[in-house]
Amino acid sequence: MLHRRRLPMHLEKFDEFEGLPLANQVMDMDDKNYGTSSSWSSARSSKSFVSKRTLIFLSVFLVVSSFEGLPLANQVMDMDDKNYGTSSSWSSARSSKSFVSKRTLIFLSVFLVVSSVCIALLVYYGQQENQDPWFVTDTYIRLPRSIHPISYELWLQPLIYGNLSIIGAVKIVMNVTIPTSNVTLHINDIITKNETVTIHAVDDLSGQGIKIKEQIYQYDKNFYIAKLETELQADRQYVFYMEYEGYLNDQLRGLYMSSYLRENGTLMWMAATQFQPTDARRAFPCFDEPALKATFQVHVARQTNMNAISNMPKINTTAFKEGWVWDHFNTSLPMSTYLLSIAVSDFDSVESNYNDHVTFRIWARHDAISQTWYANKIGPEILTYYEEYFSVPYPLPKQDMIAIPDLREHAMENWGLITYSRYGNAQQDDLWTALTDQGYADGTLREDLSVKTIMDTWTLQMGYPVVNVELTEDGEAVISQKRFLLVENPDSLDTHDYKWWVPITYTTQESPDFTQTIPFYWLSDNGESLVIKNISTTGWHFFNLQQTGYYRVNYGVDNWERLIHQLKEDLSVINLVSRAQLIDDAMDLARAGELNYSIPLNVNSYLSEEKEFVPWSAALNNLAYLEKMFTRTGGYAYLRNYLLKLLIPLYNDVGFEDNPNNSHDVQKKRVIAVTWACALEYEDCVSNATALYANWMANPTSTNISENLKPVVYCTAIARGSEQEWNFAWSQYSSSNVAHERKVLLKGMACSREIWILSSHYHHAPNTVITTMPPTQSLPPCPQHSHYHHAPNTVITTMPPHRLLEMAFTEGSGIRYQDASFTFNAVATNDVGRDLAWDYLRKNVQEIANYLKSKKKLKRLIRTVTLKFNDPLQREELQNFEEQYVKELDSFSFDAKESIELTSDNIAWMDTNYDTIVKWLRENGYETMS
């Protein structure tokens, strides 16, 4: 037990700075044993220390000295300040009765008092950084920073079919960073064999070692402390060795036991680990803090009818005693203790040959090994995908995954050995049974229906339904369902009849109540319609309250119009989530061909009065598709006018200027309002954005552009600007070391209207006049909502070719390799850039694939650049591209086909809906901006 010495009462206040925490000091040390430090800086660098006695002496000296010197001379206090003497030394002043002036005295007094305060502060903060924790407070639970582990070698013998103990030994190579007389480790539920503990210097392993004075255990901190007779020296390595005994607990932490039943009824046992967050200390003495990383070499003793796995591959197996062997595992990379993993079981394994440089195995009990085929298939594919995506090879030679019967977490990402909790139909059905019983008890589930019956229709088939509500003249709501498909494939061979058990809730205009979300009725999966009687034929009805059911709802035209009237008359009657639901359902139903677009366009018209984020988010997410399809059409001007009429009230409400004191909801509304307003070239938004950017250019070291608005400000200013704005962004990009800022700048630079900046594949000669689009198309290309960049009669002049696309795929260009795809995609989402990117991709597909070292990354480029394709000529170009590069494309020819199908879907949508939407916009006054 460590005791703190008490100071005299008048010096008690200095005890909190005890020992100038520049070193690991023992609080009950003899007062004579203190070190010195010549200066704070040297103490900081050398980790030397100043004792409590030294601190007290200095503090008392400084305080007393502030009053000393008053009687040094017969001074006249009202003497002229210029008439003052000097003293060469303190002693001469005392002996000679010389005098010091008032000014000097005041200066010295203030200086000494300030010095004492500074020393105290330096002492205090130094203590927080360097001192061993038990010298700070009794409740401090962090390990001292005087010792860092380098490597562990661990021997474990779990007696799974014995007395459930763990026979263990550990050898730790440690580096000493601060001189210390203690070795402190974490242990919990471990019996240490103190007589086996040894400590040797690495360069003197054959010597007698460091003598241990005392070994103690601090239960509340899980600390084992070996107090040494000789201080360990800084910058020197030592080896700590201990034998101990632990136990296999049933608490699902540390090294614990788990069990399962074989199909023949035999009870089987196994041992597994769950060390996160702080339970490695239950399996072996260690520095159990995540920052203290080290390598691990593991040896596991097991019975011959079992197997053992760990983070690293097994090197070999050696005989131990009858019926037992040792498995020896390779040394790991440096890692935290909580990532170490061990499993001892009789499990079987399957191995994948998908990856040629990483051994991939799935482990499961014998009766369940046949269920691992999907994990064995998809696991290696995912691993390879991420290797290519991040261009970083998996650093270990193997990856095991094991399904453990009992695991505290759903999964644990141990490096090289990922553990999963085992799930199965029995557990799922048990959950359904429990929920059914609770539903009966609470009266929320009718007695002839079970949760399993309901949930099997949702978990055992794909998709979800659209529920159609038709109201008869007699006031009966006839409710039916079918599978909702955004795009229905007429050539599909899927003949499955998709039906679900659907919970039905509703409210009406006569007594609107959106809070009752417990189902009133259930629509059966047998295909029969549900009839609800006594529904008013004069007011609106609303189904699926607060969208608590996972389905969409479609109504007759009359009910849609009544709901629209309600939104325009008093939107608060329909609650917030339900307003967003109406918008989302109407827009997606129209896109799927289930509803005429006049309905959702009318629904959205109420948005000029909407002040909440959720409905706006639902609306703009859906309207973005219309904007993409209309961008290069004559009807775009009408859609732009429609969008601005909806957006300007929201924009005016939140304002352009960001305010960090606003609520998170207001800030989100401002971002979407400003982003869309600038994209639609609303003049107030554009002028604010360009002014902010111009101010930044005038003072590059200081910017008042908020983080929330940087993307739209950069994009708008560069789109509206010239070479000067682009070059400024490039200089900021080149000098910034903040990854997020570089990404925002890069995306902003891709908004440029200048074709020669985006690509050297430029087909117009200098001074060529571009007149390919009507005036209404000349809009700033913000990344999310971009438009064609060159207005009619814009004169293109010759400038230095930055060629952003070429730079993206050129080593040493200034654009990092990992940002190559990001740069291409940013250019491709700019409407002028889209054609340039598509042209560049077709001409350089093999070079791009070689540079990216990944055909999967190339797939994503194809998807992005073709996302807005919606005319037959573009589809033909895609088809030619696929045919031309079918050999080079190899496995991702399928992805080119997906892009062709998406383009065909867009063409079909344009053929079906473009004229309808334009007609509605014209009839409702959106030919001009009012």
Side-chain angles (χ1 to χ4, degrees):
M1 184 71 179
L2 299 179
H3 299 278
R4 303 188 65 172
R5 290 198 174 207
R6 300 289 294 180
L7 294 174
M9 187 63 68
H10 67 285
L11 295 179
E12 185 71 18
K13 62 181 179 179
F14 293 109
D15 191 33
E16 62 182 294
F17 305 121
E18 192 150 9
L20 277 181
L22 307 178
N24 300 316
Q25 301 179 49
V26 179
M27 297 306 295
D28 58 355
M29 64 186 288
D30 189 281
D31 281 344
K32 295 180 181 179
N33 298 326
Y34 57 85
T36 61
S37 175
S38 60
S39 70
W40 176 254
S41 59
S42 64
R44 294 279 288 179
S45 59
S46 65
K47 307 297 184 184
S48 62
F49 58 89
V50 180
S51 74
K52 176 176 65 181
R53 175 176 295 179
T54 306
L55 172 61
I56 295 172
F57 170 77
L58 287 172
S59 302
V60 172
F61 171 78
L62 291 170
V63 172
V64 172
S65 65
S66 65
F67 300 102
E68 201 76 58
L70 291 175
L72 295 183
N74 297 321
Q75 303 178 47
V76 180
M77 297 308 295
D78 59 352
M79 64 184 290
D80 189 284
D81 282 343
K82 295 180 180 179
N83 299 325
Y84 56 85
T86 60
S87 175
S88 60
S89 69
W90 180 263
S91 59
S92 64
R94 294 279 290 178
S95 59
S96 65
K97 303 296 183 181
S98 62
F99 64 91
V100 180
S101 75
K102 178 171 64 178
R103 176 178 294 176
T104 306
L105 176 61
I106 293 172
F107 170 76
L108 288 173
S109 299
V110 172
F111 173 76
L112 293 173
V113 171
V114 171
S115 299
S116 65
V117 173
C118 290
I119 289 177
L121 290 173
L122 290 172
V123 166
Y124 176 76
Y125 287 110
Q127 182 171 19
Q128 302 307 305
E129 178 174 347
N130 290 320
Q131 193 164 10
D132 285 355
W134 53 83
F135 302 122
V136 182
T137 65
D138 290 337
T139 59
Y140 196 78
I141 61 172
R142 296 291 299 276
L143 287 172
R145 290 299 179 259
S146 50
I147 299 177
H148 287 249
I150 297 174
S151 66
Y152 293 86
E153 188 167 5
L154 183 61
W155 292 264
L156 291 170
Q157 183 188 9
L159 302 179
I160 299 171
Y161 288 96
N163 63 2
L164 302 181
S165 62
I166 305 168
I167 308 301
V170 63
K171 182 171 72 175
I172 309 173
V173 179
M174 314 173 300
N175 183 58
V176 177
T177 59
I178 304 172
T180 182
S181 298
N182 301 316
V183 175
T184 305
L185 302 171
H186 282 121
I187 63 172
N188 193 1
D189 290 338
I190 282 177
I191 301 172
T192 61
K193 298 182 179 180
N194 291 358
E195 71 279 5
T196 67
V197 178
T198 60
I199 301 174
H200 288 81
V202 169
D203 54 7
D204 188 22
L205 294 176
S206 59
Q208 293 186 351
I210 309 298
K211 291 186 178 180
I212 300 173
K213 180 170 55 177
E214 183 183 6
Q215 299 180 63
I216 60 176
Y217 176 61
Q218 292 187 351
Y219 176 82
D220 57 332
K221 300 178 183 179
N222 295 160
F223 280 176
Y224 160 88
I225 305 171
K227 305 176 74 171
L228 313 178
E229 293 186 359
T230 305
E231 188 176 70
L232 302 182
Q233 300 173 19
D235 301 320
R236 195 174 182 189
Q237 293 182 6
Y238 296 83
V239 178
F240 175 93
Y241 177 83
M242 174 193 283
E243 296 175 11
Y244 62 93
E245 184 174 328
Y247 81 99
L248 291 167
N249 66 74
D250 58 357
Q251 302 172 35
L252 307 185
R253 51 185 178 177
L255 180 54
Y256 66 93
M257 60 181 181
S258 179
S259 64
Y260 67 92
L261 284 174
R262 284 186 173 176
E263 289 183 353
N264 62 11
T266 304
L267 180 64
M268 305 300 296
W269 294 90
M270 67 172 293
T273 55
Q274 174 58 44
F275 288 162
Q276 190 186 48
T278 57
D279 288 313
R281 64 191 69 176
R282 293 177 178 271
F284 61 101
C286 57
F287 297 84
D288 200 10
E289 292 184 8
L292 301 177
K293 296 177 174 62
T295 62
F296 292 83
Q297 185 179 4
V298 178
H299 312 272
V300 179
R302 60 172 173 85
Q303 292 171 271
T304 53
N305 64 333
M306 306 186 82
N307 52 63
I309 52 177
S310 186
N311 304 74
M312 299 299 290
K314 182 168 61 178
I315 302 173
N316 57 33
T317 299
T318 58
F320 173 32
K321 61 181 182 181
E322 185 176 355
W324 286 80
V325 294
W326 281 103
D327 284 338
H328 307 280
F329 296 92
N330 212 335
T331 303
S332 75
L333 297 175
M335 62 184 186
S336 303
T337 48
Y338 77 89
L339 290 176
L340 184 65
S341 185
I342 299 162
V344 182
S345 69
D346 68 339
F347 283 11
D348 293 342
S349 68
V350 292
E351 184 172 331
S352 170
N353 58 6
Y354 181 88
N355 194 310
D356 61 0
H357 62 283
V358 178
T359 300
F360 202 100
R361 296 179 299 183
I362 309 293
W363 296 80
R365 53 193 173 85
H366 176 77
D367 298 332
I369 197 68
S370 61
Q371 301 173 21
T372 64
W373 67 268
Y374 182 74
N376 195 43
K377 172 185 179 296
I378 199 66
E381 293 178 5
I382 293 173
L383 179 64
T384 302
Y385 172 84
Y386 281 118
E387 285 184 312
E388 294 180 353
Y389 183 83
F390 293 110
S391 299
V392 176
Y394 182 68
L396 301 182
K398 66 95 174 174
Q399 176 64 67
D400 284 317
M401 301 200 303
I402 183 170
I404 296 175
D406 304 296
L407 188 66
R408 190 172 62 190
E409 309 294 341
H410 293 313
M412 180 61 209
E413 67 280 11
N414 308 300
W415 215 2
L417 175 52
I418 301 176
T419 54
Y420 295 90
S421 178
R422 177 173 62 87
Y423 291 97
N425 290 334
Q427 285 82 0
Q428 177 175 288
D429 288 349
D430 288 344
L431 174 62
W432 301 153
T433 299
L435 292 175
T436 299
D437 293 341
Q438 194 64 43
Y440 293 159
D442 294 343
T444 56
L445 185 66
R446 71 189 203 198
E447 294 184 358
D448 64 337
L449 192 59
S450 71
V451 172
K452 176 177 171 56
T453 300
I454 296 168
M455 292 305 298
D456 279 355
T457 66
W458 293 92
T459 61
L460 301 182
Q461 63 181 349
M462 58 185 173
Y464 63 91
V466 53
V467 169
N468 289 288
V469 181
E470 290 290 342
L471 187 64
T472 69
E473 294 179 354
D474 298 328
E476 293 183 344
V478 180
I479 303 170
S480 60
Q481 62 168 302
K482 70 173 185 177
R483 185 186 179 192
F484 177 77
L485 289 171
L486 199 60
V487 178
E488 193 161 359
N489 182 5
D491 299 323
S492 174
L493 300 178
D494 187 356
T495 59
H496 179 70
D497 183 22
Y498 292 90
K499 294 291 185 295
W500 294 261
W501 276 94
V502 182
I504 301 298
T505 57
Y506 72 95
T507 190
T508 63
Q509 184 173 354
E510 286 70 28
S511 55
D513 182 0
F514 287 82
T515 64
Q516 298 299 318
T517 57
I518 296 174
F520 304 148
Y521 302 95
W522 285 91
L523 179 60
S524 171
D525 68 341
N526 60 12
E528 296 180 359
S529 297
L530 172 68
V531 177
I532 301 176
K533 297 182 179 181
N534 300 321
I535 303 293
S536 171
T537 58
T538 58
W540 53 257
H541 46 270
F542 190 105
F543 279 69
N544 194 16
L545 302 183
Q546 298 192 49
Q547 207 167 23
T548 50
Y550 196 70
Y551 58 92
R552 300 194 181 279
V553 183
N554 198 1
Y555 306 99
V557 173
D558 288 345
N559 194 64
W560 277 112
E561 289 177 348
R562 289 170 183 154
L563 287 168
I564 292 167
H565 179 74
Q566 179 66 72
L567 288 171
K568 293 180 177 180
E569 184 179 72
D570 183 1
L571 60 86
S572 66
V573 173
I574 300 176
N575 89 312
L576 173 65
V577 172
S578 298
R579 298 200 298 270
Q581 173 188 345
L582 273 178
I583 294 168
D584 194 54
D585 280 355
M587 290 295 291
D588 270 345
L589 287 167
R591 184 174 172 182
E594 301 288 339
L595 198 62
N596 187 285
Y597 258 104
S598 62
I599 297 295
L601 291 173
N602 258 318
V603 170
N604 293 336
S605 296
Y606 97 94
L607 284 169
S608 58
E609 302 298 324
E610 180 64 75
K611 304 300 182 185
E612 298 296 336
F613 172 78
V614 175
W616 268 109
S617 179
L620 294 177
N621 285 340
N622 283 283
L623 288 167
Y625 180 74
L626 271 66
E627 192 272 344
K628 291 175 184 176
M629 295 298 98
F630 268 62
T631 298
R632 295 185 174 184
T633 69
Y636 184 82
Y638 310 147
L639 180 65
R640 172 178 176 267
N641 293 338
Y642 169 77
L643 294 173
L644 281 175
K645 185 173 182 180
L646 301 181
L647 276 161
I648 288 174
L650 179 68
Y651 174 87
N652 291 335
D653 183 56
V654 297
F656 181 92
E657 185 176 348
D658 201 20
N659 184 347
N661 295 322
N662 288 152
S663 68
H664 185 57
D665 191 63
V666 170
Q667 293 186 57
K668 290 193 297 182
K669 285 192 293 183
R670 180 177 294 111
V671 168
I672 61 173
V674 170
T675 299
W676 275 79
C678 279
L680 296 169
E681 206 174 46
Y682 183 51
E683 187 53 40
D684 185 80
C685 185
V686 173
S687 60
N688 274 299
T690 53
L692 277 177
Y693 193 85
N695 291 339
W696 185 30
M697 290 178 65
N699 188 7
T701 60
S702 176
T703 176
N704 60 348
I705 306 173
S706 74
E707 290 296 325
N708 287 338
L709 299 183
K710 279 183 177 180
V712 64
V713 169
Y714 293 177
C715 182
T716 303
I718 291 171
R720 275 296 193 95
S722 62
E723 181 184 15
Q724 185 179 6
E725 282 75 14
W726 197 96
N727 285 342
F728 176 78
W730 178 256
S731 69
Q732 294 296 316
Y733 171 84
S734 301
S735 61
S736 176
N737 60 0
V738 180
H740 174 71
E741 176 70 4
R742 288 170 62 89
K743 281 285 183 72
V744 176
L745 283 163
L746 197 55
K747 198 162 189 176
M749 287 186 283
C751 293
S752 175
R753 297 181 178 189
E754 306 297 344
I755 296 178
W756 59 266
I757 285 179
L758 299 177
S759 176
S760 63
H761 290 261
Y762 174 47
H763 305 297
H764 295 286
N767 302 314
T768 298
V769 178
I770 300 177
T771 57
T772 56
M773 299 188 67
T776 56
Q777 303 298 119
S778 176
L779 302 172
C782 286
Q784 294 173 314
H785 316 291
S786 56
H787 311 284
Y788 195 80
H789 300 287
H790 283 290
N793 305 315
T794 298
V795 177
I796 308 301
T797 58
T798 304
M799 298 182 184
H802 291 286
R803 303 170 183 172
L804 193 56
L805 284 169
E806 287 79 2
M807 294 167 68
F809 301 103
T810 303
E811 189 174 352
S813 68
I815 296 177
R816 298 175 300 178
Y817 165 79
Q818 58 264 42
D819 289 337
S821 296
F822 178 86
T823 305
F824 179 92
N825 291 337
V827 173
T829 53
N830 166 339
D831 270 357
V832 162
R834 185 206 315 170
D835 290 338
L836 301 174
W838 174 230
D839 187 50
Y840 182 81
L841 177 65
R842 285 183 293 169
K843 292 181 178 179
N844 300 278
V845 59
Q846 195 60 58
E847 291 78 3
I848 293 173
N850 292 340
Y851 182 79
L852 295 176
K853 302 180 180 67
S854 168
K855 291 182 178 179
K856 286 186 173 65
K857 290 183 180 179
L858 188 58
K859 295 177 186 180
R860 289 189 288 275
L861 303 188
I862 297 172
R863 292 173 190 163
T864 301
V865 76
T866 60
L867 193 61
K868 295 183 181 180
F869 281 11
N870 64 359
D871 70 54
L873 178 60
Q874 291 169 327
R875 179 172 57 191
E876 184 180 347
E877 290 176 348
L878 252 173
Q879 291 168 337
N880 292 338
F881 174 74
E882 184 203 13
E883 293 173 4
Q884 182 178 358
Y885 292 104
V886 65
K887 292 182 179 179
E888 289 85 348
L889 294 175
D890 290 338
S891 62
F892 66 81
S893 175
F894 177 74
D895 293 87
K897 283 185 170 62
E898 284 185 338
S899 293
I900 294 170
E901 289 176 5
L902 177 59
T903 301
S904 297
D905 294 339
N906 290 342
I907 293 170
W909 184 92
M910 290 289 289
D911 291 342
T912 303
N913 298 297
Y914 175 78
D915 289 339
T916 299
I917 295 172
V918 169
K919 181 174 182 287
W920 185 91
L921 291 170
R922 295 182 66 176
E923 289 176 349
N924 285 271
Y926 293 105
E927 289 183 284
T928 59
M929 184 63 192
S930 57

